[in-house]
């Protein structure tokens, strides 16, 4: 857990409304943000597009608990990965269960698949999720301690490369639909148990031979998790890394064919990709295809994923591999990229009508009147706490509505209401029982 729930000075103002700040004793935990109403149109847009893409490619929604047994991450994501070693938020329940705030979605989805025997359904099962995840990282742009992901997972059935291509495609199309441009996919194959162990040994031997020239972390990785050697960003290790053996040269025939077919699907779809032999993805459950999606000028990945045929075995659920592949995208990073690339703010479902009420009898009528607009499916806004015509008109103007309805004491008495065209300022009085119809006619 973070040592303190208070933000450092100046932090945590990401979404704040400009102007005078209130003094507050507590702030949201470091690296965790409120999503304020002004930000919501971006989030709604991504939720909407996620649903559209999932429906189109036949992914059904799954929601798993935010807390999961720690073991599924230790066994699946990997005990020696940064996520498990350094970034998990852990809790002990009163029943002494060891639980973790989920740092990622894939092990939980696999757990649910096994727990609920989804293998009895038509295979493969295609699932998608949208929700919060937690990693105790050093907060910076695009890296938060609570962040959201949308994920696509295909579990069961065949280990057909077409599914690898489809999970990449779903993520890629989702990003495209958000109007994010200049995307590239980095892709690699990590092979299967057999060919990877040959490669791992080669890599280990190579680094051991060069142990005098590499950093302390790499010396540790060389024995604990050799593939992570390729992740090292230390400048002194780059020369050694550049000469290191490459996984693609060690793929067995089946893995080589599998990877070739994934790339052929991407070629057929016209999706731009770069082979990246250093892409290892840092989660232990991957085998064969791994990939990440990037946008130009944004140096962290928008999404990533890969095949994880061994995960069900790693969770102790089966003795043979269960074909599975998936991808997930980070919502905050998508929004940051949309903004950086100048994508227009998604339009809110704006109300076109504002109800102004003046005086007690009018306020009394207002709620019922609003209900008749609700029944007619017309969105209407108001400020029931305000009394003066001037302040309510100002608000109506600010909300850029087309029509203001003015209900005063006299109108209530005469059972009328004033319709004001906000653009021209022209006003007309109509019978109260005809106002919904009249408004409907006027708004496009
Ligand atoms: P991941 O690469 O760890 O993969 O995360 C996927 C995406 O989540 C990243 O590309 C990024 O957009 C976002 N993300 C990750 N960490 C943070 C963070 N601290 N702050 C903001 N955004 C973040 C997985 O999580 C795998 N479960 C993906 C997968 C699905 N593999 C197979 N199926």
């Amino acid at each position: 857990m973070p040592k303190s729930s208070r933000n450092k000075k100046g932090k945590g103002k990401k979404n704040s409304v400009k102007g005078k700040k209130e003094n507050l004793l507590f702030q949201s935990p470091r690296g965790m943000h409120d999503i304020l109403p002004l930000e919501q149109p971006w989030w709604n847009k991504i939720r909407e597009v996620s649903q559209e893409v999932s429906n189109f490619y036949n992914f059904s929604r799954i929601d798993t608990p935010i807390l999961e047994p720690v073991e599924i991450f230790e066994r699946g994501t990997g005990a020696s990965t940064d996520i498990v070693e350094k970034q998990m938020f852990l809790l002990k329940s009163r029943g002494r269960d060891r639980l973790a705030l989920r740092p990622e979605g894939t092990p939980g989805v696999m757990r649910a698949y096994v727990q609920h025997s989804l293998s009895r359904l038509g295979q493969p099962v295609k699932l998608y999720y949208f929700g919060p995840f937690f990693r105790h990282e050093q907060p910076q742009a695009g890296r938060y301690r609570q962040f959201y992901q949308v994920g696509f997972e295909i579990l069961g059935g065949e280990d057909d490369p077409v599914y690898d291509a489809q999970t990449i495609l779903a993520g890629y199309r989702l990003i495209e639909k958000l109007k994010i441009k200049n995307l590239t996919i980095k892709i690699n194959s990590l092979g299967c148990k057999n060919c990877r162990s040959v490669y791992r040994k080669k890599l280990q031997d190579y680094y051991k031979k060069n142990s005098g020239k590499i950093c302390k972390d790499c010396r540790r990785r060389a024995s604990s998790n050799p593939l992570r050697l390729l992740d090292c960003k230390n400048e002194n290790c780059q020369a050694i890394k550049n000469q290191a053996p490459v996984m693609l040269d060690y793929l067995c025939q089946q893995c080589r064919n599998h990877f070739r077919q994934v790339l052929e699907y991407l070629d057929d779809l016209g999706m731009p990709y770069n082979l990246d032999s250093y892409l290892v993805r840092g989660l232990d459950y991957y085998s064969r295809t791994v990939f990440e999606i990037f946008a130009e000028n944004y140096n962290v990945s928008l999404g990533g994923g890969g095949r994880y045929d061994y995960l069900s075995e790693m969770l102790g659920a089966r003795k043979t591999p269960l074909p599975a592949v998936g991808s997930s995208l980070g919502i905050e990073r998508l929004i940051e990229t949309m903004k950086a690339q100048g994508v227009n703010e998604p339009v809110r479902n704006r109300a076109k009508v504002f109800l102004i009420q003046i005086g007690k009898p009018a306020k009394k009528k207002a709620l019922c009147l609003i209900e008749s607009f609700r029944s007619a499916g017309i969105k209407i806004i108001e400020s029931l706490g305000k009394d003066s015509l001037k302040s309510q008109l100002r608000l109506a103007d600010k909300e850029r509505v087309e029509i203001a309805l003015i209900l005063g004491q006299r109108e209530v008495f005469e059972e009328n209401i004033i319709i004001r065209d906000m653009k021209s300022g022209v006003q007309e009085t109509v019978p109260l029982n005809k106002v919904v119809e009249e408004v409907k006619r006027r708004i496009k």
Side-chain angles (χ1 to χ4, degrees):
M1 287 280 194
K3 280 199 187 103
S4 154
S5 65
R6 301 273 307 274
N7 279 2
K8 284 197 185 126
K9 214 174 164 191
K11 298 266 170 73
K13 292 181 178 170
K14 204 170 156 264
N15 299 327
S16 298
V17 179
K18 284 191 190 108
K20 194 177 153 232
K21 298 266 172 325
E22 310 272 353
N23 280 331
L24 183 66
L25 200 52
F26 299 107
Q27 299 208 335
S28 60
R30 202 156 122 71
M32 302 189 180
H33 298 287
D34 301 309
I35 307 168
L36 297 178
L38 280 176
E39 280 293 301
Q40 293 292 344
W42 298 93
W43 288 78
N44 286 341
K45 177 74 187 171
I46 297 182
R47 280 193 201 98
E48 196 184 291
V49 169
S50 301
Q51 211 160 12
E52 256 174 52
V53 169
S54 312
N55 283 345
F56 183 79
Y57 294 110
N58 283 312
F59 286 84
S60 308
R61 171 97 186 199
I62 183 165
D63 290 292
T64 56
I66 284 169
L67 292 176
E68 290 279 1
V70 175
E71 287 89 341
I72 69 167
F73 305 111
E74 287 172 343
R75 286 168 170 244
T77 313
S80 65
T81 58
D82 281 356
I83 293 181
V84 173
E85 234 174 22
K86 304 179 188 158
Q87 299 172 351
M88 277 205 297
F89 286 84
L90 299 169
L91 342 125
K92 253 191 207 150
S93 74
R94 283 178 189 265
R96 296 183 181 277
D97 305 328
R98 285 172 67 231
L99 300 174
L101 281 174
R102 57 185 192 184
E104 55 135 344
T106 310
V109 169
M110 179 59 87
R111 180 208 40 74
Y113 176 94
V114 175
Q115 182 177 336
H116 303 288
S117 306
L118 300 188
S119 56
R120 293 204 199 123
L121 305 177
Q123 300 296 297
V125 175
K126 294 165 78 176
L127 301 169
Y128 93 97
Y129 49 87
F130 190 113
F133 295 88
F134 304 84
R135 295 185 194 173
H136 193 262
E137 301 210 61
Q138 200 48 42
Q140 50 188 282
R143 210 173 284 285
Y144 308 108
R145 290 186 176 171
Q146 176 174 337
F147 58 96
Y148 285 70
Q149 281 185 351
V150 53
F152 302 97
E153 312 285 359
I154 302 182
L155 302 102
E158 310 298 324
D159 64 358
D160 196 316
V162 76
Y163 293 129
D164 304 49
Q166 200 177 39
T167 51
I168 302 175
L169 180 64
Y172 190 87
R173 289 285 182 252
L174 194 157
I175 302 175
E176 266 187 346
K177 268 182 163 279
L178 297 173
K179 302 203 168 62
I180 294 176
K181 291 195 269 314
N182 303 329
L183 300 176
T184 44
I185 299 164
K186 287 186 183 172
I187 191 164
N188 192 17
S189 173
L190 300 179
C192 62
K193 269 182 186 159
N194 299 333
C195 54
R196 193 173 4 175
S197 66
V198 176
Y199 173 66
R200 197 188 279 129
K201 181 83 180 54
K202 283 272 171 216
L203 197 62
Q204 222 162 14
D205 291 347
Y206 168 80
Y207 269 89
K208 277 187 180 154
K209 247 190 270 155
N210 290 290
S211 64
K213 302 177 195 156
I214 53 178
C215 68
K216 211 170 76 203
D217 278 346
C218 278
R219 277 199 290 277
R220 189 172 53 86
R221 287 181 192 128
S223 37
S224 67
N225 197 345
L227 287 186
R228 295 297 309 283
L229 289 162
L230 302 176
D231 259 351
C232 181
K233 304 281 182 296
N234 189 319
E235 273 199 8
N236 300 332
C237 298
Q238 298 312 302
I240 298 295
K241 192 169 112 176
N242 290 341
Q243 300 299 317
V246 167
M247 180 70 227
L248 292 184
D249 294 337
Y250 292 86
L251 292 181
C252 63
Q253 196 55 45
Q254 284 100 317
C255 289
R256 186 178 296 275
N257 282 344
H258 192 276
F259 193 45
R260 185 179 40 77
Q261 289 178 64
V262 175
L263 299 183
E264 279 171 8
Y265 283 119
L266 299 185
D267 287 333
D268 292 347
L269 290 160
M271 289 164 66
Y273 62 82
N274 295 320
L275 295 184
D276 183 343
S277 46
Y278 299 132
L279 185 69
V280 287
R281 296 271 304 131
L283 310 178
D284 278 3
Y285 51 65
Y286 288 122
S287 56
R288 293 189 166 170
T289 317
V290 285
F291 60 89
E292 286 181 353
I293 307 178
F294 288 84
E296 204 176 39
N297 299 330
Y298 190 72
N299 62 356
V300 282
S301 64
L302 295 181
R307 178 161 282 285
Y308 49 96
D309 296 351
Y310 303 128
L311 178 58
S312 68
E313 288 171 80
M314 293 162 91
L315 297 185
R318 291 165 58 109
K319 295 220 158 42
T320 52
L322 177 87
V325 60
S327 63
S328 49
L329 311 175
I331 310 302
E332 289 81 357
R333 293 187 185 181
L334 293 173
I335 294 175
E336 280 164 23
T337 313
M338 286 166 86
K339 290 181 178 173
Q341 292 195 353
V343 174
N344 286 338
E345 180 175 344
V347 274
R348 275 185 294 160
N349 180 14
R350 280 182 175 280
K352 294 179 176 170
V353 188
F354 193 107
L355 174 64
I356 295 173
Q357 38 70 41
I358 311 146
K360 263 201 180 136
K363 186 178 285 190
K364 204 148 178 281
K365 267 233 169 312
L367 281 185
C368 291
L369 184 59
I370 290 167
E371 286 307 288
S372 31
F373 279 93
R374 187 190 55 76
S375 309
I378 300 172
K379 197 170 167 195
I380 183 165
I381 43 175
E382 33 59 31
S383 179
L384 293 173
K386 292 211 166 23
D387 296 323
S388 91
L389 174 64
K390 204 168 149 198
S391 63
Q392 291 181 74
L393 261 180
R394 204 182 304 127
L395 266 178
D397 200 43
K398 205 170 152 197
E399 291 290 339
R400 289 186 275 146
V401 293
E402 292 174 18
I403 289 170
L405 301 174
I406 306 171
L407 190 63
Q409 221 152 310
R410 177 166 160 197
E411 284 73 29
V412 173
F413 182 68
E414 292 174 355
E415 300 199 352
N416 284 332
I417 191 162
I418 297 167
I419 300 187
R420 179 187 172 98
D421 182 314
M422 290 297 286
K423 220 180 208 164
S424 62
V426 173
Q427 299 195 163
E428 194 185 325
T429 303
V430 299
L432 200 51
N433 61 4
K434 293 265 167 14
V435 67
V436 175
E437 242 170 80
E438 189 54 33
V439 166
K440 209 181 226 173
R441 199 177 61 74
R442 290 179 185 221
I443 56 178
K444 289 130 226 152

